[in-house]
Amino acid sequence: MRGGRACALGGRGAELLGGAGAGSGRPWGGRRPGRGGPGSGGGRRAAARPGDGAGGERYCLAATETEQENMNTNKELSPDSAAYRCSACHGDETWGDGPPIRGRAKSRSLSASPASGSTKEFRRTRSLHGPCPVTTFGPKACVLQNPQTIMHIQDPASQRLTWNKPPKSVLVIKKIRDARLLQPFKELCAYLVQGNNMVVYVEKKALEDPAIASDESFGPVKKKCCTFREDYDDISNQIDFIICLGGDGTLLYASSLFQGSVPPVMAFHLGSLGFLTPFNFESFESQVAQVIEGNAAVVLRSRLKVRVVKALRGEAAAVHNGLRENGLPAPGLDTDTGKQAVQYQVLNEVVIDRGPSSYLSNVDVYLDGHLITTVQGDGVIVSTPTGSTAYAAAAGASMVHPNVPAIMVTPICPHSLSFRPIVVPAGVELQITLSPEARNTAWVSFDGRKRQEIRHGDSISITTSCYPLPSICVRDAVSDWFESLAQCLHWNVRKKQAHFPEEEEEPGEAQG
């Protein structure tokens, strides 16, 4: 994944990192002779070589020290034994000495180490993706090997951010029309511009706020800031990382600005909910400095690639040979089918609903070209694991950790007692169209934006995008997620059940 002058080490580079998830068609932990792994200098040296990655210059995912130890252990194995050894099957989660600790960690830091004051050290040696499955069944059966289907997946527990070159430009996104964020916004911009000599990009309407425009003390910083306008200026190749000030909406907005590769995102909780914004602003200087120095935990939040194909109607149909009346090419026009296609990158969910109509929505859902069901109800939600804690959760879907590769399909108030939410593999392609029997049109929105009408002959194709959003963690991907569940959604909060009172023994029974 590459944001501006940045990349995440993937493909061959991910293989060079070794460790859990450095897949080569073998169980995680093995390596091919002559292809990276421990013999090529370990994960960190490989991460410093942009030529081994996806072609970027700024950042990549580095292997942890625990991964390095696993690689050194696997190095001692013979090629045959390394090919059949799985760190998730044979490795155990090792613990240091000390009594067990119950409850949530109260302190939050950027490192993946335990909370300060903890007497128990946890070292993960199992992959979060689970064990590599054995592909031999009984004495004679096995799975047909197909090298073209090999997938390189890095263990999410080992995903840490590092920079190939120091970041120079940062995009600061502030929640609009919120007076509480004016002072934090000024302090952050002054720190980045004057303290770190960075190029700061901000939205033009953010600097046009009267409270900022009239502040003379902020004038020198304001003059050095670069501005942009949404849908007019393309800044996707100029940003090294992003800082969000506000709620979850600021992260969704940042995602919409980058329809390709997304730079790393650091989100501060200054909004109402803050499920996706784990950082507190009180100590922003030390936290930002630590991210700039590199080696922060990161979670790759998968996005949906959505393609909307519409038949040309009305004025839009006045297109001849792909050209408008003024001679300019029609945007997104497919000359073969005569339809207009638009593509979106979605972080949370795609919502298809009945809109203002009083009738039920009636849409067909196809999976890889096969009709799987017809949704009759208020609509349907197609969401990422990140979006499973948003609208989908309100509609009854399960909450899924963002590292799980999946797509959730959740009906909205279905007129059926048996229509339960489902989870499908991340690699499938869903297609949604209006049923021929539908009495009315449907409406679609993408992360709550770009709402538009869907009519007969239109289609919506959805699959997992290859451009995730790298979200920087306070501690690590697992701890941050459960912390957000507890703090934001009050997950499983209940008064504890009282234990049975101990019965007092009678004097005669005690003597007996």
Side-chain angles (χ1 to χ4, degrees):
M1 116 204 75
R2 190 173 54 160
R5 292 167 289 181
C7 76
L9 203 54
R12 175 172 176 265
E15 203 168 14
L16 288 174
L17 289 176
S24 57
R26 304 164 181 248
W28 293 319
R31 66 181 182 90
R32 295 178 187 169
R35 288 287 306 277
S40 64
R44 295 194 183 277
R45 247 171 59 191
R49 298 171 58 189
D52 292 334
E57 302 174 359
R58 288 289 178 196
Y59 76 88
C60 64
L61 296 176
T64 60
E65 295 178 359
T66 303
E67 268 193 325
Q68 187 65 36
E69 294 176 4
N70 292 339
M71 292 192 302
N72 293 335
T73 302
N74 294 330
K75 184 179 179 181
E76 299 173 359
L77 301 174
S78 63
D80 295 335
S81 62
Y84 293 98
R85 180 178 178 84
C86 176
S87 61
C89 297
H90 298 279
D92 291 322
E93 295 171 349
T94 57
W95 301 81
D97 296 333
I101 294 178
R102 301 184 63 183
R104 304 184 186 94
K106 296 183 179 179
S107 63
R108 308 179 75 181
S109 63
L110 280 171
S111 64
S113 60
S116 59
S118 172
T119 58
K120 186 177 184 182
E121 182 182 359
F122 174 77
R123 296 177 61 195
R124 180 178 295 278
T125 57
R126 291 180 181 269
S127 168
L128 283 182
H129 280 309
C132 183
V134 175
T135 56
T136 56
F137 317 109
K140 295 183 179 179
C142 66
V143 172
L144 179 65
Q145 298 298 319
N146 184 358
Q148 296 181 351
T149 62
I150 292 175
M151 217 175 148
H152 301 276
I153 304 177
Q154 183 171 348
D155 177 17
S158 68
Q159 290 174 170
R160 300 189 66 82
L161 186 72
T162 187
W163 302 96
N164 289 326
K165 293 182 180 180
K168 296 298 183 183
S169 59
V170 57
L171 170 63
V172 178
I173 297 177
K174 180 183 78 70
K175 184 179 180 181
I176 305 298
R177 296 185 298 273
D178 193 339
R180 299 174 303 167
L181 299 183
L182 294 177
Q183 189 59 32
F185 174 73
K186 295 176 185 178
E187 293 178 6
L188 177 62
C189 290
Y191 171 76
L192 294 171
V193 172
Q194 299 174 346
N196 290 272
N197 196 26
M198 301 190 72
V199 179
V200 176
Y201 287 81
V202 296
E203 198 170 6
K204 186 177 181 180
K205 58 184 177 182
L207 293 184
E208 292 175 349
D209 190 306
I212 294 179
S214 60
D215 189 354
E216 297 180 357
S217 61
F218 188 68
V221 177
K222 179 182 175 182
K223 292 180 180 179
K224 295 183 179 180
C225 292
C226 300
T227 60
F228 73 96
R229 295 172 299 170
E230 184 186 8
D231 297 332
Y232 285 93
D233 302 317
D234 183 13
I235 59 173
S236 57
N237 291 325
Q238 303 173 27
I239 305 300
D240 291 334
F241 76 106
I242 306 170
I243 297 179
C244 295
L245 301 177
D248 295 343
T250 58
L251 196 69
L252 298 176
Y253 177 65
S255 172
S256 68
L257 295 176
F258 296 85
Q259 292 301 300
S261 174
V262 187
V265 182
M266 184 180 189
F268 285 94
H269 173 39
L270 291 169
S272 53
L273 184 62
F275 193 93
L276 305 178
T277 55
F279 287 92
N280 293 320
F281 194 76
E282 285 76 11
S283 56
F284 79 93
E285 293 185 358
S286 60
Q287 292 174 327
V288 172
Q290 194 165 347
V291 170
I292 294 176
E293 291 173 0
N295 195 23
V298 65
V299 55
L300 301 183
R301 298 186 178 275
S302 63
R303 299 196 293 174
L304 298 176
K305 181 176 70 173
V306 186
R307 179 179 170 86
V308 181
V309 179
K310 289 187 174 185
L312 297 176
R313 302 178 181 91
E315 295 180 359
V319 177
H320 181 67
N321 293 331
L323 299 177
R324 295 187 182 274
E325 294 180 356
N326 56 7
L328 296 176
L333 180 66
D334 190 339
T335 56
D336 296 333
T337 61
K339 294 186 176 182
Q340 191 171 17
V342 184
Q343 188 167 297
Y344 303 94
Q345 297 284 334
V346 178
L347 178 60
N348 259 3
E349 73 269 311
V350 180
V351 178
I352 298 96
D353 59 66
R354 60 190 176 98
S357 174
S358 59
Y359 294 106
L360 294 175
S361 68
N362 197 340
V363 296
D364 293 335
V365 180
Y366 296 82
L367 190 148
D368 287 341
H370 301 282
L371 177 65
I372 59 172
T373 191
T374 297
V375 179
Q376 298 181 93
D378 281 353
V380 63
I381 304 169
V382 181
S383 60
T384 64
T386 296
S388 68
T389 53
Y391 194 179
S398 296
M399 294 183 291
V400 182
H401 190 275
N403 276 132
V404 178
I407 298 175
M408 276 61 68
V409 180
T410 308
I412 307 172
C413 297
H415 198 253
S416 168
L417 297 179
S418 60
F419 198 164
R420 302 295 298 273
I422 61 172
V423 180
V424 297
V428 303
E429 181 176 356
L430 296 169
Q431 188 176 45
I432 299 176
T433 61
L434 207 60
S435 297
E437 302 83 7
R439 297 183 178 183
N440 58 293
T441 62
W443 289 75
V444 61
S445 61
F446 314 95
D447 284 341
R449 297 162 58 89
K450 309 291 185 182
R451 187 169 172 82
Q452 52 196 273
E453 191 174 13
I454 299 297
R455 303 182 182 184
H456 288 284
D458 301 342
S459 65
I460 305 169
S461 300
I462 306 171
T463 189
T464 300
S465 171
C466 63
Y467 299 110
L469 184 142
S471 179
I472 299 174
C473 305
V474 173
R475 289 176 58 83
D476 58 74
V478 175
S479 301
D480 283 13
W481 192 69
F482 279 100
E483 182 75 11
S484 294
L485 284 181
Q487 298 298 327
C488 301
L489 300 182
H490 301 290
W491 177 60
N492 198 27
V493 174
R494 180 191 183 275
K495 186 177 180 180
K496 289 191 175 182
Q497 186 181 39
H499 61 82
F500 286 118
E502 297 180 0
E503 298 181 359
E504 297 182 359
E505 296 182 354
E506 297 182 1
E509 293 179 355
Q511 293 177 359

